[in-house]
Amino acid sequence: EAGVAQSPRYKIIEKRQSVAFWCNPISGHATLYWYQQILGQGPKLLIQFQNNGVVDDSQLPKDRFSAERLKGVDSTLKIQPAKLEDSAVYLCASSSGQGAADTQYFGPGTRLTVL
Amino acid sequence: AQKITQTQPGMFVQEKEAVTLDCTYDTSDQSYGLFWYKQPSSGEMIFLIYQGSYDEQNATEGRYSLNFQKARKSANLVISASQLGDSAMYFCAMREVNQAGTALIFGKGTTLSVSS
């Protein structure tokens, strides 16, 4: 079974530029998450989708970040304009359902450097 | 308030030794799940083990076991017979079932270094 796919793996941009990340979850997984992991910290949720609806985006900086999951499969996370503090690894994860035991499986991440 | 606390920034162990990575958590929910993930230098988060708040027995997965002490709100990861490939960052995470979403709350992680 294929895992969670993400692209690109690495991205370097100048501040105030825009950038987009793509995620393809495990086939059949209804729930998709985007996390931001700043160096030396644990991942922090940005947004959670259930199929193509948003479940939780309370920690998404909506003035510059946006995300969509059209057709309930692939997802795109965009930053516009980027700031220096957005330098981080952006992790996409997916899971099959609800409940305490629902395990999230992560992709390889996109490492973003903002200069 | 920090929900997941990992107090060991770094741990060092020799091959074939056992090691315990500490994790304490804070929640007022009765139903929750606890997870451990491994993050090698490549960056991918690898799921290791899960413990439910109602599980009476400690979870085990191969060389990994979870020492779950509910009254103390601790969920320590025990790795038996360490291998060089175990060198990585380890994260403890929690899901509170009664929250709107089901996202994980992560600790800051512990770096494990295994030497020969």
Side-chain angles (χ1 to χ4, degrees):
Chain A
E1 179 182 88
V4 177
Q6 288 187 248
S7 67
R9 291 296 312 277
Y10 305 92
K11 190 75 177 178
I12 301 174
I13 61 172
E14 304 258 336
K15 61 183 179 183
R16 292 187 289 272
Q17 285 187 324
S18 63
V19 64
F21 313 128
W22 174 82
C23 172
N24 183 247
I26 292 172
S27 178
H29 278 191
T31 309
L32 185 147
Y33 310 80
W34 283 102
Y35 289 87
Q36 180 193 58
Q37 185 179 19
I38 292 172
L39 187 63
Q41 298 182 20
K44 184 188 78 172
L45 178 74
L46 290 174
I47 189 167
Q48 176 186 346
F49 292 94
Q50 180 80 15
N51 296 309
N52 59 353
V54 175
V55 174
D56 183 0
D57 64 356
S58 59
Q59 298 184 79
L60 187 73
K62 298 181 187 65
D63 57 333
R64 298 184 301 105
F65 286 65
S66 65
E68 60 183 11
R69 191 184 184 196
L70 300 176
K71 301 180 182 178
V73 182
D74 294 9
S75 177
T76 303
L77 176 70
K78 296 180 182 177
I79 307 175
Q80 183 179 11
K83 292 186 175 181
L84 296 177
E85 59 261 36
D86 298 333
S87 293
V89 176
Y90 291 84
L91 294 163
C92 179
S94 70
S95 69
S96 58
Q98 303 280 333
D102 186 38
T103 299
Q104 295 180 25
Y105 296 93
F106 286 78
T110 296
R111 187 176 299 273
L112 174 67
T113 302
V114 182
L115 303 175
Chain B
Q2 213 168 2
K3 295 250 182 179
I4 297 286
T5 302
Q6 295 181 254
T7 58
Q8 307 153 314
M11 291 286 285
F12 298 87
V13 68
Q14 290 210 310
E15 265 187 305
K16 301 178 185 176
E17 289 184 349
V19 62
T20 298
L21 306 183
D22 295 342
C23 173
T24 57
Y25 59 92
D26 182 28
T27 181
S28 56
D29 286 357
Q30 295 301 308
S31 181
Y32 52 89
L34 296 157
F35 300 77
W36 277 90
Y37 284 84
K38 171 184 178 182
Q39 188 175 43
S41 56
S42 58
E44 186 170 353
M45 299 284 281
I46 302 167
F47 166 70
L48 295 178
I49 195 166
Y50 163 79
Q51 179 84 42
S53 58
Y54 292 117
D55 294 342
E56 294 186 353
Q57 293 199 336
N58 286 340
T60 59
E61 287 286 348
R63 294 186 299 112
Y64 304 108
S65 61
L66 203 152
N67 183 1
F68 181 47
Q69 298 187 43
K70 194 170 181 177
R72 292 186 173 188
K73 293 188 175 178
S74 75
N76 298 337
L77 177 70
V78 180
I79 306 175
S80 63
S82 297
Q83 301 172 356
L84 294 178
D86 294 334
S87 294
M89 193 81 164
Y90 289 79
F91 289 95
C92 179
M94 176 176 67
R95 170 185 294 120
E96 294 173 307
V97 176
N98 291 328
Q99 299 303 306
T102 55
L104 294 171
I105 303 165
F106 286 85
K108 291 188 175 182
T110 295
T111 301
L112 176 65
S113 300
V114 182
S115 59
S116 56

